[in-house]
Amino acid sequence: VQLQASGGGLVQAGGSMTLSCVASESAFNFDHMAWFRRAPGKQRVLVARILRTGGTNYADSVKGRFTISRDSAENTVHLRMNSLKPEDTAVYYCNAVRVNSDSLTLVDYWGQGTQVTVSS
């Protein structure tokens, strides 16, 4: 499985940006897909997740500002980020998880990170 993330860059506070993650197979092959981020000097944390069913979860810090969506026809998950703040500056990572049918364990796949920098 390959995950290709794109869309990062530099934006001013209050601006918007969309990240995209293209998977090498259908998004429905995964239990869920998600975006994580790692800010300088901090651990990687969950930003948003979309389940196979279409349900979504968000970190409290981004609720109401970020939207995760899925374009299954193109095997793509998007993260629309509005009202960006300097504290949103981080490397953003695409993630996909599915259950190994033999071991019934979760298997994680990660894309390369994409830098998002929000200037004040």
Side-chain angles (χ1 to χ4, degrees):
V1 175
Q2 293 185 340
L3 302 174
Q4 182 69 41
S6 63
L10 175 64
V11 64
Q12 288 189 330
S16 298
M17 180 180 289
T18 298
L19 304 181
S20 297
C21 174
V22 180
S24 58
E25 55 186 84
S26 172
F28 285 109
N29 288 351
F30 303 106
D31 179 82
H32 61 266
M33 295 185 70
W35 286 95
F36 284 71
R37 69 186 181 189
R38 178 159 51 202
K42 296 186 178 180
Q43 292 186 333
R44 186 162 55 187
V45 296
L46 176 68
V47 175
R49 175 170 52 201
I50 185 164
L51 309 179
R52 182 186 290 122
T53 58
T56 57
N57 305 113
Y58 296 92
D60 288 343
S61 60
V62 306
K63 282 181 180 177
R65 299 189 299 122
F66 290 13
T67 302
I68 189 169
S69 62
R70 180 179 60 205
D71 184 345
S72 298
E74 296 184 356
N75 303 342
T76 304
V77 171
H78 305 283
L79 184 68
R80 176 64 176 176
M81 304 182 293
N82 295 326
S83 302
L84 282 161
K85 304 175 181 179
E87 51 263 44
D88 293 317
T89 294
V91 179
Y92 284 71
Y93 296 90
C94 180
N95 167 259
V97 177
R98 67 179 168 203
V99 178
N100 181 296
S101 58
D102 294 327
S103 62
L104 298 181
T105 56
L106 296 179
V107 181
D108 273 281
Y109 302 95
W110 293 93
Q112 89 288 3
T114 184
Q115 176 71 46
V116 173
T117 303
V118 184
S119 63
S120 56

